[in-house]
Amino acid sequence: MMRQISALGRRGCDLLEAMGRAGLFLAQSSVGVPSREGLYLWLRQVHFIGVLSLAIVLVSGLFIGMVLALQGYTILVDFGAEQALGQMVALSLLRELSPVVAALLFAGRAGSALTAEIGLMKATEQLTSMEMIGVDPLRRVVAPRLWAGFVALPLLTVGFSVVGIYGGYLVGVEWLGVFDGSFWGNMQSSVDFVGDVGNGMLKSLVFAVVVTWIAVFQGYDLIPTSEGISRATTRTVVYSSLAVLGLDFVLTAVMFGGLS
Amino acid sequence: MKRSKIMELGVGLFMLAGILGMIFLGLRVSGLTLTSPGNTFTLEANFSNIGGLKPRAQVTMAGVTVGRISSIELDTDWYDARVVMELDGKLEDRLSRDTTAAILTSGLLGEQYVGLSVGGDPETLADGDTIRDTQSALVLEELIQQFVSNMVSD
């Protein structure tokens, strides 16, 4: 009995310690004045985790927008309110689907790659060698990846929304024959730039920080064996998906739930 | 070196696409207009019941949107609703003084909006004036009550 309780206490202490390490890690690696070379490293990471994720994010956005329009139309047409299709597609994409789905795809496409890359660097003792020759791995390896993630995911979310709304337009107007003017007109009269677009982007920024942080920290903190790398990669995807979905509820309750 | 140039170009295009996307979301989706706020003028109207009218709702004339509602508050002198409307500056001093305002509904489940229709008075409404002749929103309960009392009196 006593042993179980002390095991529980050890788990709690380990958890708190890991959270403290992760917080220190984020603070240490994200501050600091970027040098000319740091900017170049950052650009390379934006290319890898942003530009190369574009294809999967945009294709998913197009299909999600199209499915939303199709599903929304079959429901709205029962009430004779298919003119509201534009506002339904735009609001559900901007407020909810774009930030969440883009963050989940980002965690799968870029987060896992970040964890594996940094983990392999640690397992092959590249990070230790860097410290030996006087290069700070936090600033050289970790900081560019963190900042690239903070920038890339909000941009990907914008792309997701735009392509999704266009997909909704294709299905709703071009295929199902909703009137063009009411599709855009209803959308424009109901979408508020600060309240809907702005809050969606704020959500996406929060998700970007959380997902990139988890991915990079899992890579930096793993046990340097092949099994450790595989576990850390899995943990990145699982933890960041759960964190995104959980935080999404909290943020939605604060932003749109009338709590203020 | 050549490869890094292509990469830089890719990142640049990516960020440009993001900015263009934001502009699209602003102008096309949320309908932000770049006209200066000085290009509008305000009119007030008192309604005895506004039903489900909300701020930011449209103000139309002959079905054309000419402005939007900036605020709704309770007038404590008369205990009715004072609706402040922001209208296109082109209409300033061109609406007759006996213009009427009615709260209408677009479609069966649509949003409520204010419809204006001009009268024949040569005097015109200026910035800050109040529209006197108003027609309240239709409230379903009142309609039913009217219908029932007509049935009983027959």
Side-chain angles (χ1 to χ4, degrees):
Chain A
M1 186 64 189
M2 291 302 271
R3 196 181 297 159
Q4 265 108 24
I5 292 176
S6 70
L8 185 69
R10 196 162 56 239
R11 289 285 292 275
C13 286
D14 283 350
L15 185 71
L16 277 180
E17 207 185 308
M19 284 171 74
R21 262 206 319 274
L24 267 181
F25 168 81
L26 181 69
Q28 278 173 358
S29 48
S30 58
V31 298
V33 188
S35 55
R36 176 103 185 80
E37 199 196 11
L39 199 70
Y40 182 74
L41 290 170
W42 175 78
L43 265 180
R44 229 167 65 176
Q45 292 307 320
V46 175
H47 179 75
F48 175 64
I49 67 182
V51 179
L52 298 184
S53 304
L54 216 49
I56 182 175
V57 167
L58 293 188
V59 171
S60 318
L62 187 69
F63 280 118
I64 284 183
M66 280 159 62
V67 166
L68 263 182
L70 202 53
Q71 290 276 17
Y73 182 81
T74 54
I75 295 170
L76 289 173
V77 83
D78 286 345
F79 303 103
E82 67 269 24
Q83 267 75 25
L85 189 66
Q87 86 192 58
M88 197 212 83
V89 170
L91 284 181
S92 43
L93 275 172
L94 289 171
R95 287 186 180 176
E96 202 58 46
L97 282 171
S98 302
V100 172
V101 177
L104 293 178
L105 291 171
F106 183 79
R109 160 66 180 70
S112 56
L114 285 180
T115 307
E117 192 187 8
I118 297 179
L120 201 67
M121 280 186 187
K122 187 176 183 184
T124 52
E125 296 186 345
Q126 292 179 43
L127 296 181
T128 327
S129 326
M130 273 185 198
E131 274 177 43
M132 291 287 285
I133 58 171
V135 175
D136 183 3
L138 283 183
R139 293 193 59 181
R140 169 92 199 172
V141 174
V142 172
R145 286 170 172 75
L146 276 176
W147 281 104
F150 297 169
V151 171
L153 181 52
L155 288 175
L156 290 172
T157 305
V158 172
F160 192 102
S161 299
V162 170
V163 172
I165 289 169
Y166 184 68
Y169 167 81
L170 280 183
V171 168
V173 176
E174 302 285 334
W175 181 25
L176 296 172
V178 175
F179 176 56
D180 194 2
S182 56
F183 183 86
W184 292 110
N186 269 336
M187 191 190 289
Q188 287 174 357
S189 67
S190 63
V191 175
D192 181 42
F193 188 70
V194 177
D196 297 321
V197 182
N199 273 338
M201 294 317 293
L202 193 64
K203 261 189 187 179
S204 158
L205 191 66
V206 173
F207 295 159
V209 172
V210 169
V211 170
T212 326
W213 181 20
I214 290 177
V216 174
F217 179 71
Q218 288 295 342
Y220 198 76
D221 203 51
L222 51 72
I223 304 154
T225 58
S226 48
E227 197 194 348
I229 293 176
S230 88
R231 278 197 185 170
T233 317
T234 313
R235 267 209 302 269
T236 295
V237 177
V238 172
Y239 287 179
S240 37
S241 306
L242 287 178
V244 163
L245 294 172
L247 269 176
D248 181 52
F249 175 72
V250 176
L251 288 173
T252 307
V254 173
M255 288 170 177
F256 305 111
L259 303 172
S260 56
Chain B
M1 201 60 205
K2 188 158 168 48
R3 178 160 166 70
S4 80
K5 275 276 181 283
I6 293 170
M7 186 202 78
E8 278 173 6
L9 191 71
V11 173
L13 285 176
F14 173 59
M15 300 180 85
L16 200 67
I19 293 164
L20 286 179
M22 267 321 263
I23 293 172
F24 172 80
L25 289 182
L27 295 182
R28 186 77 182 159
V29 176
S30 62
L32 283 188
T33 46
L34 297 175
T35 51
S36 60
N39 205 11
T40 59
F41 75 109
T42 59
L43 283 182
E44 292 180 4
N46 283 33
F47 292 93
S48 59
N49 193 331
I50 56 164
L53 195 70
K54 292 188 180 64
R56 283 177 51 79
Q58 291 179 327
V59 179
T60 66
M61 183 165 249
V64 181
T65 304
V66 293
R68 57 178 54 206
I69 289 169
S70 55
S71 71
I72 297 172
E73 58 198 17
L74 187 69
D75 186 340
T76 46
D77 293 338
W78 298 94
Y79 293 100
D80 53 9
R82 183 193 297 135
V83 174
V84 182
M85 295 173 282
E86 244 172 46
L87 300 183
D88 193 343
K90 275 185 289 188
L91 290 174
E92 188 167 8
D93 296 326
R94 307 205 49 176
L95 299 174
S96 67
R97 189 156 283 277
D98 57 351
T99 295
T100 61
I103 297 178
L104 307 168
T105 310
S106 58
L108 194 59
L109 295 165
E111 297 201 335
Q112 289 189 304
Y113 63 97
V114 172
L116 299 180
S117 43
V118 284
D121 197 328
E123 298 266 311
T124 56
L125 290 167
D127 189 31
D129 279 355
T130 305
I131 297 176
R132 297 285 164 205
D133 191 359
T134 62
Q135 187 188 328
S136 292
L138 283 182
V139 178
L140 202 59
E141 287 80 355
E142 286 175 2
L143 275 185
I144 293 171
Q145 210 170 24
Q146 227 168 26
F147 178 67
V148 170
S149 62
N150 283 350
M151 292 272 284
V152 170
S153 65
D154 278 351

